[in-house]
Amino acid sequence: MAVPPLQQPSFLLASLKADYLNKPFSQRCIDLAKVIEDYPAKDLHFIFPWVVESVFGSLDGTVLGWNLRCLHSQINPVEYSIAMEFLDPCGPMMKLVYRLQAEEYRYEFPVSFLPGPVKNSIQEGGPLDCPLYHSRIQLPISGFHSLNLALNPFEYYIFHFAYSLLTYRSYPVGYHFSYSESAYFSLVDRYLKYFLPVEGNVPPPPTLITGAAVSPPASRTPTVPFTSYGVHHSSLLKRHISHQPSVNADPAAQEIWRSEILLQIFVEMWLHHYSLEVYQKMQSPHTKLEVLQHHLGVSSTQYGTSTQSGYRTLLMYQEPFSPSEEHVLVVRLLLKHLHAFSNSLRPEQFSPSTHSHASPLEEFKRVVIPRFVQKKLYVFLQHCFSHWPLDASFRAVLETWLSYIQPWRYASDKVLLGADVQDRTVSEKWATFVQDNLLMYTKLFSSFLNRAVRTDLVAPKNALMVFRVAKIFSQPNLAEMIQKAEQLFLEPDQVLHRQHRIFMTPNQGGSFLSARQPVTTDASFRVKNHVYSSEGQDCQYRQMFSAEVKNLVFHLGHLIAQAQQTAKSISDHSEATSKQSFLSWFSFGYSGFNNSYNGNDLDESGSSNIRKTDEYLEKALEYLCQIYRLNAVHLSHMAATLGAAQEEDGKKQLPDCIPSENGLVLTNLGRYQIINGLRKFPIEYQGDPELQPVRSYESVTLVRFFFKLSSAINERFAGEMESLCSRRGWIGKVARYYLMPSLSQKSLHSPATQQRSQQVPQPRLSLRFLASYRTMFFVFLIYIVAWLLSVGPVPCTFYCLAAFLLIGVAVALFSEQQKLHQQ
């Protein structure tokens, strides 16, 4: 292929920017792929930052880029396929990255766009727990506030890709689609499957096939010495190469650095937004007291402390970052793949004796979750559980948590788990994972209970979340494994006292091994190491099966029983309303005008969703009884008692009230009953029937038209109508039937007051019934029948008016005779 004529890099960049504004998306991608293929790395190095920004958008959000998070396969199929092909792990964009990687170019990424804890540690010269930053920090002459990371092309690309998830995006109004079907979500899935393969090794870069050399990033000395960093862990690849000189012959050992860098960047950018150190400080009773004193405005000089330190800690913990639902779903995708990646480790590699002979990829699979993910994910989930709104969007956080605590769902040995899949029993081989992640099961479960008792369990989505958690924790053998892990944590220390506890791995010199019980002691050490390294040395652990948590579960069971009764009453009301609406089509007049308005937001969910709510709550109650071995008979009796308290002689009771001079006053119990939908006042319209709101079965235009017409007639002939109604003969009876409102036949009063001024009803004509859809339907049906019988519209109208008048005469005379018999 002929080499293109050499152009200045600035001219090439200007040409690409002009094409970006003038050419369509597909043509831009074709031209850019051709530029990557034809131009030398020197020119591509100059345009690389702009290309990355044009794809993922600028870090400050001013440049939108391709907006991959809104690119949907069903809405934009052409653009979606082009973007996926261009950004594929083997596509033109990665080819550009590998070409620049071979030349060892460096690009700057501002430290100010890193997560809060990392940014603060770098700016203050504090220790960094991630080796990703150790050799990449550069400090320009301008000062501390212009710190940058010097990154190779692969790191620069992945950093921008990961950060684009955190940039705020405003979706168009009415633009609804599943986050999992966006181009960004699909690219995350592709990158994880390519660089963290479940089967086989990481494929070599395309440039290696053509003979170019792409080497892992060389170890560099930091431009600015941060003496407080301390000792940092070396890369898995470097440690493996140092122990095995002949590893250069293994292509997987040469390419494992991409997998490690990709995972570290994803974890740092998506999970490390909350400091573990600050979180541990917030768990200290001393800090909690200082924060409480600050909120109450109480001086703490009498306690010998200062509220300023606690206030600063509170400000550090309450960072402005709040993850979105899309962010959490991407984290869930990462966790699910990491479980599958870790579980693909060959069984023989689990043995400690084989660790020294394992390949870099196998060693990476063994430590990927405990070393890179566990602690940062725990603090991330704790923040979400504490700060997420009490609505249905919490489902994303919930499923992320449940995916992490169920690694057996992503196990590769399906054949060995055949029996366990049938009866949902959790195999004993997962006991080690439960012990290493005890807080993920126990403390987050307690946090969920605290959320569940504050939500509306009648809502189907909230009931589903309670059902999901109860079902997962009721898996056979899981509760037993959690209890055994808690027992290991409660074992007394055999070597060190608690106040001087320093947990170390055996390789670092620390050991809890005992000659009498080596396995149990080692497991106890691991559980304690997990709890104290996550919660701090002064944490106060609350057992999942303690009396306090059991009382919380029992309280939740009480609320579930109440929600079941509420759902049942809503379902019964919906059925009664549907029957009444169906039968009301066969009646005329004011039926329904004085009926109570029973509109309820829950009615919009439909009877099928209400039935689902009842099913979810019933199964959730059953699973909670299995987990905590509660008495199901007692809970059933409690539900029946609640149902009996709601009904007395088959009639719904009013909310709990106290009589007063001004009527009935709600008590605290009455307010609770109304808020939770247990009881309610009968709401009836007691005003002028002509002025009540337009009903759903009425035409708004016709209601207003007939109201104006009736008002004009009543105003014009008020005296004549009053004289007609005052007559004693049958003419007066018929006039009173048509002109006197039906409100006078029923004495209504509000439950909040015992007195109502007696008003004498005035005769008037009401034509509002003609605005009813059912009336119009019957009139239309009558004219159709008349047309079939060859009766013209004028005679048909006359017959209808005559029939209407005769019906009124008959009803008036019959009602008058009935009154005489009653007297």
Side-chain angles (χ1 to χ4, degrees), residues 447-467:
S447 300
F448 174 77
L449 292 179
N450 289 324
R451 288 183 59 93
V453 297
R454 292 179 292 159
T455 56
D456 180 15
L457 298 181
V458 182
K461 294 181 179 180
N462 293 336
L464 175 59
M465 287 191 284
V466 176
F467 163 76

Side-chain angles (χ1 to χ4, degrees), residues 23-99:
K23 291 186 178 181
F25 177 75
S26 58
Q27 188 62 41
R28 295 202 311 264
C29 292
I30 295 175
D31 294 345
L32 193 56
K34 187 176 181 180
V35 168
I36 295 172
E37 186 70 26
D38 296 343
Y39 281 81
K42 181 179 179 181
D43 294 341
L44 298 178
H45 161 64
F46 188 79
I47 68 170
F48 180 65
W50 176 85
V51 173
V52 173
E53 182 177 288
S54 66
V55 173
F56 301 122
S58 59
L59 296 176
D60 56 5
T62 56
V63 178
L64 186 62
W66 290 3
N67 202 7
L68 297 173
R69 290 157 56 186
C70 292
L71 208 56
H72 192 270
S73 58
Q74 301 297 328
I75 301 176
N76 315 100
V78 178
E79 292 82 357
Y80 175 87
S81 59
I82 293 175
M84 294 297 295
E85 182 179 358
F86 187 85
L87 301 176
D88 188 81
C90 298
M93 190 67 187
M94 273 299 176
K95 187 174 183 180
L96 170 62
V97 170
Y98 292 139
R99 289 189 62 184

Side-chain angles (χ1 to χ4, degrees), residues 361-543:
L361 186 61
E362 297 296 331
E363 185 180 359
F364 187 48
K365 290 180 179 179
R366 184 175 56 84
V367 302
V368 62
I369 291 181
R371 175 170 297 182
F372 294 99
V373 179
Q374 187 187 66
K375 291 182 181 179
K376 294 182 176 65
L377 176 65
Y378 174 69
V379 180
F380 178 83
L381 290 178
Q382 276 284 15
H383 185 275
C384 291
F385 272 69
S386 303
H387 296 78
W388 201 277
L390 292 173
D391 56 18
S393 64
F394 184 72
R395 176 76 185 277
V397 180
L398 184 78
E399 294 298 335
T400 302
W401 169 48
L402 296 180
S403 296
Y404 180 78
I405 64 176
Q406 296 183 94
W408 46 87
R409 291 181 54 189
Y410 314 99
S412 57
D413 50 348
K414 301 296 183 182
V415 178
L416 297 177
L417 294 177
D420 293 346
V421 173
Q422 297 290 336
D423 57 6
R424 299 174 57 240
T425 302
V426 181
S427 174
E428 281 292 336
K429 78 173 201 174
W430 301 107
T432 303
F433 181 87
V434 174
Q435 295 167 6
D436 293 340
N437 296 271
L438 179 62
L439 292 174
M440 288 286 192
Y441 292 91
T442 58
K443 188 162 185 179
L444 290 183
F445 181 79
S446 300
S447 300
F448 174 77
L449 292 179
N450 289 324
R451 288 183 59 93
V453 297
R454 292 179 292 159
T455 56
D456 180 15
L457 298 181
V458 182
K461 294 181 179 180
N462 293 336
L464 175 59
M465 287 191 284
V466 176
F467 163 76
R468 288 279 297 142
V469 174
K471 180 181 179 181
I472 297 306
F473 278 84
S474 68
Q475 295 178 89
N477 201 35
L478 179 58
E480 289 76 6
M481 286 195 294
I482 295 175
Q483 284 182 303
K484 291 179 182 179
E486 289 187 326
Q487 293 173 2
L488 291 173
F489 172 76
L490 297 176
E491 287 185 0
D493 296 338
Q494 301 180 17
V495 178
L496 301 175
H497 296 289
R498 176 173 178 176
Q499 58 268 27
H500 302 293
R501 182 189 293 107
I502 302 176
F503 286 97
M504 298 176 293
T505 61
N507 293 335
Q508 294 172 323
S511 175
F512 275 74
L513 300 179
S514 172
R516 291 174 296 177
Q517 295 178 340
V519 177
T520 304
T521 307
D522 181 65
S524 176
F525 167 80
R526 285 189 291 102
V527 175
K528 293 177 181 179
N529 185 30
H530 159 64
V531 173
Y532 290 119
S533 62
S534 301
E535 291 288 317
Q537 299 291 319
D538 299 327
C539 74
Q540 298 178 352
Y541 180 76
R542 184 173 67 171
Q543 300 181 55

Side-chain angles (χ1 to χ4, degrees), residues 69 165-166 269-271 273-274 319-331 379-385 387-389 393 396-397:
R69 290 157 56 186
L165 177 64
L166 311 179
M269 299 301 292
W270 294 344
L271 295 179
H273 291 273
Y274 312 104
E319 297 178 12
F321 179 80
S322 297
S324 63
E325 185 177 355
E326 181 183 12
H327 181 174
V328 175
L329 290 176
V330 173
V331 171
V379 180
F380 178 83
L381 290 178
Q382 276 284 15
H383 185 275
C384 291
F385 272 69
H387 296 78
W388 201 277
S393 64
V397 180

Side-chain angles (χ1 to χ4, degrees), residues 243-258:
H243 289 301
Q244 296 188 13
S246 61
V247 79
N248 293 329
D250 186 5
Q254 296 179 358
E255 298 308 320
I256 189 65
W257 66 270
R258 292 180 298 159

Side-chain angles (χ1 to χ4, degrees), residues 286 289-290 293 298-309:
H286 177 72
L289 177 61
E290 291 180 346
Q293 291 172 356
V298 179
S299 175
S300 57
T301 54
Q302 54 181 329
Y303 301 102
T305 61
S306 173
T307 59
Q308 294 299 323
S309 60

Side-chain angles (χ1 to χ4, degrees), residues 20 48 73 193 410 420 422 445 494 516 557 569 662 668 679 686 752 774 815 819:
Y20 185 83
F48 180 65
S73 58
K193 291 179 179 178
Y410 314 99
D420 293 346
Q422 297 290 336
F445 181 79
Q494 301 180 17
R516 291 174 296 177
S569 63
N662 299 323
N668 292 333
R679 298 181 185 177
Q686 301 180 20
R774 65 169 179 263
S815 60
K819 290 181 180 179

